Amino acid sequence: MQLMARRAAHDGSRTAAARQRGARGLPCWLPAACGSLLAATAAAGVLPEDRADVLYHRYDGGGVVIDGPSILVRKKFADKVSIAANYYVDMVSSASIDVVSTASPYREERTQYSLTADYLRGKSTYSIGYINSSESDYDAKTWYAGVSQDLFGDLTTISFSFKKGDNDIFRNIGGTKDPGFARGSEVRSYAVGITQVLTRSMIGAFNFEVISDEGYLNSPYRSVRYFDPADPKGYSYQAEIYPSTRTSNAASLKLSYFLPYRAALDGWYRYYSDSWGVVAHTAELGYTHPLRERWIFSGSVRYYQQDAADFYADLFPRRDYANFLARDKELSTFTAVTFGVGASYDFRIARLPWVDKAQVNLRYDFMTIDYDDFRDVRETVTVPGTERPYSLDANIYQVFLSIWF
Amino acid sequence: MSLPRALVRPLLAATMLVIALSACAPIEPWVKPYERENLADPIMAFDRYPVSSAYLDHVYEAREGARGATGSAGGGCGCN
C-alpha cells in the first residue's frame, strides 16, 4: 500500500520530502499535497524507510528478570530491495514459581539474529527471511517467505506467508548439557492477511494464521504434580508428557481510526483455538496523541483470557493418570490485563547531517495475570490442591532510539 | 507433512475471492488517493515502532498460550 510513502512525506521532514522528490521526481512542498501527488503518480508499492533502532528492554515479574538489547537496521538498495537485520539478546535470571517448586534458580542467555529481504516489483513485494535463536539448551532456525500485493487502486493489500522452523532441544543438568538428551521439533506456519482502506479516516486489517508443530513439544524441566499420600506434603512430581503434534488457528481483526483533532484510536481482537483444547480471546485498545511538533504520547490496554488445555491439571489424582499430563501455567485457565504508556520525542542531530530525523522513545507496560487453576505450591496447606491460585505482576520497560537516514 | 486440513478451506476461499474479484470490472477506489491524508499520518501506522512491537509480541507469546495472526514473523525460542 502507498501509505508508507505518504507517511514519510507527512512527517513534515524536509529531508524525507526531498528523498521522496528524488525518488519520484516530484516536488513536495506541503505534506498533504505531497501525499496525494505521490499516491496519484506512484504506480508501484513502497518499501519500508531506511532506519536504525537501538532498544534496551527489561521484563521483571514473577521472580524472572529478563533484559538485553535489540538492534534493528533497515536499508534500501536501488528502491527495489530492502534489507533488514536484527540482533536481539535475552539475559534471563529466573527464580520463577516453576523453578522454585521443582528446580534451582538459573541464569541463561538467548541470542537471536535475523535477516530479511523485501523485493519490490510493481505492486508486489516478495519477502524472505531467516531467524536464528540460540541458547545453551535450545536452538531454533526459522525460514520464512511471503508475498503481498496491492489491489483496487491501492485500497486493498493481500498477503500470504509461509514459515518453517526447526528446533533442537537439549537439557542442562547442574549447569552442563546432558549428553544423553537431544530432541527435535518442527513448526510450520501458513498465514494470510488483508489490509483494507475503509473510509478516509479508517483502515482495517484481517489476519489468519495456522501453525502446526510436530516433535518434542514439552519442556525437559517442567513437572506435573499428583496426589501421593506417602509423601509428607501429600503430593509428588513426575515429568510432564505432551502430545507430539499441535495445530492452532488464530484469526484477528484490527481497526485504526483517525480522530478529527489529529489523534488515533485503534482496536484489535484475536480469536485463538488449538488441537490441545486451548481457546483464547485477546482484545487491545490503543490511543495515540501527538502534541505540538515533536511529541507523541500513547496509551493501551490489553485483555487476554484463555481456557486450559484438555490435559492440564494443577493436581492429578495419581501418578501416570493419563497419556498426556501438563502443569504449565501457560496452558492453564487464566486472565491477563496489560496497561501500557509510551512517549516519543523527535529531534535532529546537527552533527550528523545524514540523519534525517531522530526519535527517543520510552515505554512502560504493567502486566497482571490471575491464574484460575494453577496454585501457589509455596503455600503450606493440610490438603493439597487447596493452595491459593497463583498470580503474577510484571513490569516491562523499553527505552529506544530510532534514526531515519 | 501435508497441508493442514484447517488451512485448505481458508486458502481456497481466499483464492476464489481473488479470482472472482479479478473477473469483475475495475473497481473505482471509494477513497480517492487525494483523500488519504489522514490515513497517511504517521500516527496511523500499524507498526510505528517495529523493534518495540516485536519485543512485546515476544513477551506476550512467552506468557500466553495463544500465538499467531499478529501480522509479523517471529522465530522460535524455548521461552515457555
Side-chain angles (χ1 to χ4, degrees), chain A residues 189-208:
Chain A
S189 150
Y190 308 84
V192 296
I194 299 175
T195 304
Q196 180 67 51
V197 171
L198 297 168
T199 71
R200 290 180 181 196
S201 299
M202 186 185 286
I203 188 166
F206 172 79
N207 283 285
F208 178 74

Side-chain angles (χ1 to χ4, degrees), chain A residues 108-184:
Chain A
E108 174 67 279
E109 183 172 320
R110 183 176 78 90
T111 306
Q112 178 177 296
Y113 301 91
S114 73
L115 191 66
T116 65
D118 297 314
Y119 171 63
L120 178 67
R121 185 181 167 84
K123 289 182 178 290
S124 304
T125 304
Y126 303 89
S127 304
I128 55 169
Y130 175 70
I131 306 167
N132 186 308
S133 169
S134 63
E135 48 201 303
S136 65
D137 54 0
Y138 202 101
D139 289 329
K141 296 176 176 59
T142 306
W143 288 95
Y144 72 88
V147 60
S148 63
Q149 171 78 38
D150 291 349
L151 298 169
F152 313 137
D154 301 329
L155 287 182
T156 306
T157 302
I158 59 169
S159 61
F160 301 90
S161 69
F162 170 71
K163 183 170 74 179
K164 181 177 181 298
D166 291 299
N167 306 317
D168 295 317
I169 303 120
F170 307 100
R171 181 171 63 191
N172 289 334
I173 297 176
T176 56
K177 193 178 281 185
D178 176 2
F181 185 94
R183 301 286 188 276

Side-chain angles (χ1 to χ4, degrees), chain A residues 264-281:
Chain A
L265 191 63
D266 54 85
W268 185 70
Y269 170 77
R270 176 179 66 182
Y271 175 79
Y272 171 90
S273 69
D274 68 28
S275 56
W276 288 2
V278 176
V279 175
H281 303 272

Side-chain angles (χ1 to χ4, degrees), chain A residues 97-391:
Chain A
I97 180 73
D98 299 322
V99 166
V100 297
S101 53
T102 60
S104 305
Y106 67 90
R107 288 181 178 277
E108 174 67 279
E109 183 172 320
R110 183 176 78 90
T111 306
Q112 178 177 296
Y113 301 91
S114 73
L115 191 66
T116 65
D118 297 314
Y119 171 63
L120 178 67
R121 185 181 167 84
K123 289 182 178 290
S124 304
T125 304
Y126 303 89
S127 304
I128 55 169
Y130 175 70
I131 306 167
N132 186 308
S133 169
S134 63
E135 48 201 303
S136 65
D137 54 0
Y138 202 101
D139 289 329
K141 296 176 176 59
T142 306
W143 288 95
Y144 72 88
V147 60
S148 63
Q149 171 78 38
D150 291 349
L151 298 169
F152 313 137
D154 301 329
L155 287 182
T156 306
T157 302
I158 59 169
S159 61
F160 301 90
S161 69
F162 170 71
K163 183 170 74 179
K164 181 177 181 298
D166 291 299
N167 306 317
D168 295 317
I169 303 120
F170 307 100
R171 181 171 63 191
N172 289 334
I173 297 176
T176 56
K177 193 178 281 185
D178 176 2
F181 185 94
R183 301 286 188 276
S185 71
E186 182 183 283
V187 56
R188 292 179 187 225
S189 150
Y190 308 84
V192 296
I194 299 175
T195 304
Q196 180 67 51
V197 171
L198 297 168
T199 71
R200 290 180 181 196
S201 299
M202 186 185 286
I203 188 166
F206 172 79
N207 283 285
F208 178 74
E209 185 170 3
V210 176
I211 303 176
S212 172
D213 298 272
E214 190 169 1
Y216 185 80
L217 304 182
N218 43 299
S219 160
Y221 306 108
R222 219 165 19 230
S223 303
V224 300
R225 66 173 186 153
Y226 59 91
F227 272 115
D228 183 1
D231 190 281
K233 296 193 302 291
Y235 61 87
S236 294
Y237 288 98
Q238 71 171 110
E240 65 180 17
I241 309 170
Y242 283 13
S244 59
T245 60
R246 182 187 193 184
T247 301
S248 65
N249 298 285
S252 72
L253 181 66
K254 179 165 187 167
L255 292 174
S256 288
Y257 183 68
F258 186 89
L259 295 162
Y261 54 90
R262 196 181 173 226
L265 191 63
D266 54 85
W268 185 70
Y269 170 77
R270 176 179 66 182
Y271 175 79
Y272 171 90
S273 69
D274 68 28
S275 56
W276 288 2
V278 176
V279 175
H281 303 272
T282 314
E284 264 187 31
L285 196 62
Y287 177 73
T288 305
H289 192 104
L291 191 67
R292 296 177 183 161
E293 289 287 310
R294 297 177 180 272
W295 289 95
I296 296 178
F297 296 95
S298 60
S300 64
V301 58
R302 175 187 175 104
Y303 174 84
Y304 177 86
Q305 191 278 327
Q306 78 170 41
D307 293 331
D310 297 334
F311 51 94
Y312 172 88
D314 177 66
L315 183 59
F316 287 94
R318 57 178 166 78
R319 185 178 178 86
D320 298 327
Y321 178 71
N323 289 344
F324 303 120
L325 307 164
R327 191 179 174 270
D328 174 5
K329 63 184 185 303
E330 274 78 48
L331 293 180
S332 70
T333 298
F334 66 88
T335 302
V337 181
T338 306
F339 300 95
V341 289
S344 71
Y345 178 74
D346 288 2
F347 62 101
R348 304 212 178 273
I349 307 173
R351 291 181 184 178
L352 302 175
W354 51 273
V355 174
D356 292 345
K357 186 181 78 171
Q359 190 179 69
V360 63
N361 288 274
L362 295 170
R363 184 173 172 95
Y364 168 72
D365 289 85
F366 175 73
M367 175 190 277
T368 180
I369 307 178
D370 290 312
Y371 298 89
D372 288 9
D373 52 1
F374 179 82
R375 295 183 180 277
D376 190 342
V377 294
R378 295 171 300 182
E379 186 183 358
T380 304
V381 293
T382 51
V383 180
T386 60
E387 303 90 348
R388 64 176 179 274
Y390 182 64
S391 65

